[in-house]
Amino acid sequence: MIKLSKSNMRVLEFISENPGLTQLEIVNKIKLSKGSISIFIKNAKKNNLIFEVKVEQKLKIHPTKLGKDIVIKDKLKKILDNLEKKGNQI
């Protein structure tokens, strides 16, 4: 299993929910530095979490199935953790 930091998970989740954006569009929307996004993209491509498609001289970033699955698993874990916390409060 690939371990991602909170900020990297946030970027992967954003890409999964907004496929087809350029790196600059992601930087502008997510408010992380261009360098951070660039490093994330390089590592995420290496780990098969995202892929790029060239469209009209621009590289559009999309999640792979593995990338989408990791985002879904993370969201489910958060939901279960919240339910567990609420269950302990009853």
Side-chain angles (χ1 to χ4, degrees):
M1 172 80 184
I2 297 168
K3 183 84 169 151
L4 295 174
S5 68
K6 282 185 179 184
S7 64
N8 283 344
M9 182 56 76
R10 193 176 101 193
V11 176
L12 183 59
E13 185 176 324
F14 183 80
I15 290 169
S16 186
E17 293 171 355
N18 302 280
L21 296 179
T22 65
Q23 180 175 331
L24 185 57
E25 290 169 324
I26 294 167
V27 168
N28 290 335
K29 301 268 186 188
I30 216 164
K31 305 294 187 217
L32 288 174
S33 72
K34 190 173 183 178
S36 294
I37 299 296
S38 180
I39 290 168
F40 169 80
I41 289 171
K42 177 184 172 189
N43 290 330
K45 284 193 313 187
K46 187 169 47 173
N47 288 301
N48 195 34
L49 302 178
I50 63 169
F51 64 96
E52 295 174 316
V53 176
K54 193 170 190 174
V55 178
E56 297 176 5
Q57 304 301 316
K58 293 182 180 182
L59 289 174
K60 305 285 187 162
I61 300 166
H62 297 268
T64 61
K65 181 178 180 332
L66 176 60
K68 289 178 190 176
D69 289 348
I70 288 172
V71 168
I72 290 168
K73 185 175 181 178
D74 184 66
K75 286 182 179 184
L76 287 173
K77 183 182 180 320
K78 287 177 185 174
I79 290 168
L80 290 173
D81 288 347
N82 284 336
L83 288 173
E84 190 174 283
K85 286 178 189 174
K86 288 180 181 181
N88 289 337
Q89 294 174 354
I90 298 175

